Amino acid sequence: MPTAVLPRGINASMIVGAALFLFSAGWFLIGLGHVWSHPVVGWAALPFMAALAARACLRVWRRGELSAVGRAFWLRIGLACAVLVAGVVSNAADATAGPDAPSRHVSPLTSALLLGLLFFAFGAMLRLTSWHRTRPEWIRFGVDATIVLVTAGVLVWHYSLRHIGLTGDGAILPMAGVILLVLLAALAMIKMTFAGAGHLDRQALGIITAGVSLAAAGGALAPHLRAHPHLSGTMLAAAFISLTAQLAAERQLRAPATPPPRQPARRLTALPYLALAAVCLAVIGAAAPTGGELLLLAICAAIVSGLVAFRQVSALRENNRLLDTVDGNMRQMRGYQEQLDHEVTHDPLTGMPNRTLFTETLTDVLATGEPFHMALLDMDDFKVINDRMGHNTGDQMLREIGARLAATIGPADSAARLGGDEFTVLLRGRTAGEAAALLDRLLDVVRQPLFVGGNEMTPQVSLGATAAGTGDTPEELLRRSDVAMYAAKSVGGDRWAWFDSLMDELAAADVRLGAHLRQAIARDELFMLYQPIVELPHGRFAGVEALVRWRHPDHGLISPAVFIPLAERNGYIVELGRWVLEQVIRQAAAWQREYGDRAPAKVSVNISARQLQEPDFPAEMAALLAREGADPRGLVAEVTETAVLGTGAALDAVKALNTMGLRVALDDFGTGQSSLSLLVDCPVQILKVDKSFVDGVTTASPQAVIVDSLIAITQGLGIEAVAEGVETAEQAERLHRVGYQLAQGFHFARPMPAEDIALLIDAPAGIPAAG
């Protein structure tokens, strides 16, 4: 047979308990108008109800995740229900057995058992934890509790105890039982209303409070049941207590083990006003039989009391409304303050901690003395992305990179955006090997393709890492990480490097060399050389590329690969570039005056990205051309791909130079952020193919394929192509065979002074190969 499915939250024991209660209550109510021939039947269900309640309470007591105070409460209630089983059986025997049955006689055993029940119940209630109060709150609590106790005492005396005689067999014990039961009910109501539920579920305690109150009311009916000797107030009291204890325990089993903290609310407590109303009604009821002036005074007193209570309630409600308004304003102010605090310590673009918060975190971790590692990340070629695709694209990339970093590090680690395209991570609780593995993973995560605005990009970062040491400060850790990061960037980027003390020495040497470079012009240490550009295949002289050199008084000749990047880093490149332009334009003008049409048709000069960004650079170039009297058609402005990507000031400057008459050459094409769209967007007349491609032109290599493809593109667009770095005859022959007409490199000539270029101009034949 299929198993019946009970509604959620209801089990079989609850159904049995409810059925037994309905039987007992129905038997009692029918007994008010009918004399049962077998009174013991009315008692039969009560022991089973008490046993079910005890079982449910002890199940809660065995719930391990409940607090110790909560488990102790349910243990005492369970023991009280267990004692109730024996007490009901004993009371039933007293009432239904013996020659005087049915009888109201209560044996000493029954009295002891019922008093034991009350003992456990009182102990459970008194040991419930209350929330902490201030002194004024305790005073109000004491007044309210006194009101409830006095009201309960007056009502019970008036309606019950005064009807019980103080003499005769068994008179004192019923009176004591009723008094104790009323006190228990009052205590439960006070706890529930004023002190809170403590470690219990509030609904469970509410059920118990209702049960004890109903039980007290049932016990108080004893004086009114004298005409029904087969009935007892204990029947109702035991039924109510058993059912509500079982329901409360079942509710506690389904409630969270730890109830949420309950904040004291400024609610209006109705219990004292209900007590006042009950007393007023009792006074009117007592005066009604007498009538006359006494009844009138009772009614007037009740009306005045009601009006005073109404006035107080109105005032309290208005105060609460004003306090709620103040609380709302305070919460709003706290919200604004929290938002302001967040904005001060977090990056508005990515939502990550900013430099301020990261520095505070570093300071706190350093104070603990625990070992940790720190890394600084800087995006490679981020300026190119901003210039080429716009700042919105750059912002989206920064947000994505920040999210990837935060998702990759551990829960104890921290990630922050310092500003611009710089991020930093704090790695805690890791060995050097574990930190290195995480840094490798960070690089891999950052490299994952990113789709922004329909474009697929592959972000790359350079990363510098260092380990914290004794005496370190946040500033020192950031400095070391920055040094290591630039070391990684200087060898190509897209990698990470540990800080090494040698880096500081190199950085110090870099600073010293940079200071010497700033004095090189004044000390006449810089000079110009010119490398010929020739026509293929015969090697006829076609032009020159101007190259700056530095002869240091102590270190001798310093490679341009050293001092040009140095000038880029320290900002001296603008002044250095200005000096180079002056020398080259002056020399080109001199050749034009001396040789006329035989002067070099192409005098190429490299212009840095920083120079192109200068707002007055085109005007400065125009003034220099006019001052020296040089024909701009004989000059070629060589710029790199990365310098003119996008539509920024650099590209505008290149277009302005082309408008003046200078030709434009893209230098080292294919080695940077190459984009064929540059050949359309930028006014390019010459494309210079980088040496790294030319090196592989004589083999079946990818470089050879690129070289072949580029010449096809330039021929189709009407652009001249110059192959750089030609070092062998085989390379020259292969380049000419695929269509290159211009080349330069050591195979033809090394860079030489301007005086030697004059010899080439006068030479009737081409430049002889250098071998």
Side-chain angles (χ1 to χ4, degrees):
M1 294 180 61
T3 303
V5 178
L6 297 175
R8 185 177 181 181
I10 299 177
N11 56 39
S13 63
M14 293 174 63
I15 295 177
V16 172
L20 293 174
F21 173 80
L22 292 175
F23 171 79
S24 297
W27 195 94
F28 184 91
L29 293 175
I30 294 173
L32 292 175
H34 174 75
V35 178
W36 295 105
S37 58
H38 300 287
V40 71
V41 176
W43 295 88
L46 298 178
F48 297 102
M49 291 183 64
L52 289 175
R55 175 178 174 272
C57 293
L58 294 178
R59 283 175 60 204
V60 180
W61 168 64
R62 288 192 295 269
R63 187 179 179 187
E65 65 270 24
L66 200 64
S67 69
V69 174
R71 295 181 65 218
F73 172 85
W74 287 107
L75 175 62
R76 293 184 177 93
I77 296 297
L79 292 175
C81 292
V83 173
L84 180 61
V85 174
V88 168
V89 172
S90 179
N91 200 352
D94 293 341
T96 61
D100 298 329
S103 171
R104 295 187 178 280
H105 173 74
V106 178
S107 68
L109 175 61
T110 301
S111 300
L113 289 173
L114 294 180
L115 289 175
L117 179 156
L118 294 172
F119 169 79
F120 285 118
F122 267 107
M125 286 293 179
L126 290 173
R127 288 182 177 274
L128 274 183
T129 304
S130 303
W131 47 272
H132 297 289
R133 298 173 177 272
T134 62
R135 181 182 178 87
E137 288 174 334
W138 274 114
I139 294 175
R140 288 195 297 271
F141 173 77
V143 172
D144 289 338
T146 302
I147 291 173
V148 172
L149 289 173
V150 170
T151 301
V154 168
L155 295 178
V156 171
W157 171 262
H158 179 70
Y159 290 108
S160 179
L161 296 183
R162 70 188 182 94
H163 299 289
I164 301 177
L166 297 180
T167 62
D169 187 30
I172 297 299
L173 290 177
M175 180 179 292
V178 171
I179 292 173
L180 291 176
L181 199 57
V182 169
L183 289 176
L184 181 62
L187 177 61
M189 285 189 289
I190 292 169
K191 276 281 186 179
M192 177 69 184
T193 305
F194 303 118
H199 295 260
L200 303 183
D201 177 73
R202 189 170 182 84
Q203 292 185 22
L205 184 58
I207 294 172
I208 290 179
T209 300
V212 174
S213 301
L214 291 172
L221 291 176
H224 305 285
L225 297 176
R226 290 178 178 176
H228 306 279
H230 56 287
L231 299 179
S232 172
T234 306
M235 292 179 175
L236 285 180
F240 283 128
I241 288 178
S242 299
L243 178 65
T244 54
Q246 182 184 4
L247 294 177
E250 295 291 346
R251 166 63 194 176
Q252 183 70 66
L253 283 171
R254 290 162 176 77
T258 304
R262 184 177 181 86
Q263 298 296 331
R266 291 189 309 274
R267 65 182 186 276
L268 181 64
T269 303
L271 196 58
Y273 298 98
L274 293 176
L276 177 63
V279 170
C280 289
L281 292 175
V283 171
I284 293 174
T290 305
E293 185 179 355
L294 183 61
L295 177 60
L296 179 63
L297 288 175
I299 294 174
C300 290
I303 293 174
V304 171
S305 299
L307 291 174
V308 171
F310 176 78
R311 181 181 183 281
Q312 185 181 30
V313 169
S314 300
L316 288 173
R317 288 185 181 277
E318 180 62 20
N319 289 340
N320 286 343
R321 187 187 66 80
L322 294 175
L323 289 173
D324 287 340
T325 302
V326 172
D327 282 350
N329 293 336
M330 292 298 294
R331 285 194 298 270
Q332 188 176 29
M333 291 179 63
R334 285 194 295 270
Y336 290 149
Q337 183 64 43
E338 291 173 359
Q339 181 180 357
L340 181 60
D341 291 342
H342 186 275
E343 291 176 355
V344 169
T345 57
H346 287 76
D347 173 53
L349 178 63
T350 63
M352 302 176 71
N354 60 12
R355 179 185 292 270
T356 300
L357 182 56
F358 186 77
T359 302
E360 292 176 359
T361 302
L362 271 183
T363 303
D364 294 341
V365 178
L366 284 169
T368 65
E370 67 173 280
F372 65 90
H373 299 82
M374 201 200 90
L376 182 70
L377 299 84
D378 185 88
M379 295 186 64
D380 296 334
D381 299 321
F382 183 69
K383 183 180 181 301
V384 173
I385 295 171
N386 264 344
D387 291 344
R388 180 181 177 186
M389 310 191 75
H391 288 276
N392 287 337
T393 298
D395 289 347
Q396 292 184 53
M397 178 175 284
L398 290 174
R399 282 191 288 267
E400 178 61 24
I401 296 301
R404 292 180 179 184
L405 294 177
T408 305
I409 61 177
D413 304 327
S414 303
R417 181 186 176 212
L418 298 186
D421 59 342
E422 282 190 339
F423 296 86
T424 186
V425 292
L426 172 65
L427 309 178
R428 304 174 67 173
R430 287 182 171 84
T431 64
E434 292 169 341
L438 180 57
L439 296 179
D440 286 333
R441 191 159 69 252
L442 286 176
L443 288 179
D444 290 338
V445 169
V446 170
R447 291 190 194 108
Q448 297 302 310
L450 174 66
F451 293 89
V452 179
N455 299 305
E456 179 179 355
M457 294 176 286
T458 304
Q460 294 180 343
V461 296
S462 297
L463 191 152
T466 186
T470 305
D472 277 338
T473 63
E475 292 76 16
E476 172 61 17
L477 290 171
L478 286 169
R479 185 196 69 80
R480 294 205 304 259
S481 299
D482 190 60
V483 170
M485 182 271 293
Y486 274 108
K489 193 177 287 288
S490 67
V491 291
D494 190 30
R495 67 195 68 204
W496 67 272
W498 283 117
F499 172 80
D500 189 281
S501 58
L502 181 60
M503 293 178 181
D504 269 343
E505 298 177 14
L506 294 175
D510 204 44
V511 171
R512 290 193 296 271
L513 193 62
H516 294 167
L517 179 59
R518 290 183 176 277
Q519 302 173 9
I521 295 176
R523 294 177 177 178
D524 198 24
E525 296 171 1
L526 300 177
F527 61 96
M528 300 302 302
L529 296 178
Y530 299 86
Q531 184 173 32
I533 300 172
V534 303
E535 296 177 358
L536 296 177
H538 42 68
R540 182 181 297 115
F541 177 70
V544 295
E545 178 182 358
L547 303 169
V548 64
R549 296 293 185 264
W550 180 18
R551 183 179 288 107
H552 192 278
D554 298 324
H555 305 297
L557 283 174
I558 296 178
S559 169
V562 173
F563 72 83
I564 294 298
L566 176 60
E568 292 276 5
R569 291 195 298 272
N570 65 16
Y572 189 63
I573 191 67
V574 175
E575 186 174 348
L576 176 61
R578 183 181 295 114
W579 181 86
V580 169
L581 282 175
E582 290 175 352
Q583 305 304 310
V584 174
I585 291 176
R586 184 176 297 121
Q587 182 60 62
W591 282 331
Q592 291 169 1
R593 285 192 296 270
E594 183 174 353
Y595 295 105
D597 293 341
R598 292 188 302 122
K602 299 181 181 69
V603 179
S604 297
V605 58
N606 291 281
I607 301 176
S608 73
R610 289 285 297 274
Q611 286 178 277
L612 293 173
Q613 294 287 343
E614 293 291 310
D616 57 349
F617 177 71
E620 185 179 326
M621 176 67 83
L624 184 58
L625 290 170
R627 187 181 70 198
E628 299 296 338
D631 183 356
R633 293 172 296 177
L635 294 168
V636 177
E638 289 196 14
V639 297
T640 61
E641 303 163 278
T642 55
V644 292
L645 278 174
T647 58
L651 182 57
D652 294 338
V654 170
K655 291 178 178 179
L657 295 180
N658 188 243
T659 302
M660 294 178 199
L662 281 79
R663 283 175 287 179
V664 176
L666 275 183
D667 194 17
D668 301 330
F669 187 80
T671 60
Q673 299 287 332
S674 297
S675 174
L676 293 177
S677 63
L678 275 177
L679 302 179
V680 177
D681 299 334
C682 186
V684 179
Q685 288 83 40
I686 301 171
L687 185 70
K688 304 197 76 172
V689 181
D690 189 67
K691 181 181 183 299
S692 61
F693 299 119
V694 173
D695 286 343
V697 76
T698 58
T699 62
S701 64
Q703 291 90 335
V705 175
I706 293 174
V707 169
D708 294 349
S709 300
L710 288 177
I711 192 61
I713 293 173
T714 57
Q715 288 174 348
L717 295 175
I719 298 174
E720 291 183 329
V722 178
E724 295 184 297
V726 179
E727 296 184 349
T728 67
E730 291 79 10
Q731 290 175 342
E733 189 277 331
R734 171 72 168 76
L735 289 167
H736 178 256
R737 183 155 30 95
V738 298
Y740 283 86
Q741 298 179 3
L742 298 171
Q744 69 182 91
F746 288 177
H747 173 63
F748 303 107
R750 293 178 178 273
M752 58 187 67
E755 295 80 6
D756 293 346
I757 295 295
L759 299 177
L760 297 179
I761 296 174
D762 292 330
I767 300 174

